[in-house]
Amino acid sequence: MSVVFVPKRQRGKAQINQETIQRLLDENDQLVRCITEYLQKGRATECVQYQQILHRNIVYLGTIADAGTDIVPEETQTSANNSVS
């Protein structure tokens, strides 16, 4: 399942940080490799689900970029979480 899939009740509550973006980029890399492999084997129909996830991830990353959302550095987020305890 994609890391950006979030149930409706939790949408808008996640903080965007560099780690999340990097995980998405890593997942996209793996999806592209998988899609390429399926296409090379002539199994185009099997790669449709991966293309849909890749599309969703790219749209999500584009939305973040267009919104100009400030990305919370990992150490700032960790510090904030530790001070709440």
Side-chain angles (χ1 to χ4, degrees):
M1 182 182 328
S2 177
V3 293
V4 296
F5 175 76
V6 178
K8 288 183 181 181
R9 67 182 182 278
Q10 294 179 350
R11 289 186 186 164
K13 296 179 182 177
Q15 276 194 338
I16 300 166
N17 60 35
Q18 189 62 39
E19 180 185 355
T20 302
I21 292 172
Q22 188 59 53
R23 283 186 8 218
L24 278 168
L25 293 172
D26 292 343
E27 180 180 10
N28 288 352
D29 178 61
Q30 184 61 35
L31 287 166
V32 168
R33 291 173 191 269
C34 190
I35 291 166
T36 302
E37 184 178 326
Y38 275 118
L39 289 174
Q40 288 174 348
K41 292 179 179 179
R43 299 171 58 188
T45 55
E46 284 93 345
C47 72
V48 171
Q49 69 183 22
Y50 299 116
Q51 290 172 327
Q52 290 171 340
I53 295 169
L54 178 62
H55 178 264
R56 183 175 58 200
N57 287 357
I58 291 170
V59 169
Y60 181 73
L61 288 169
T63 302
I64 293 169
D66 286 346
T69 305
D70 291 331
I71 298 172
V72 178
E74 293 176 42
E75 55 277 351
T76 303
Q77 184 181 9
T78 305
S79 300
N81 289 343
N82 289 340
S83 63
V84 172
S85 300

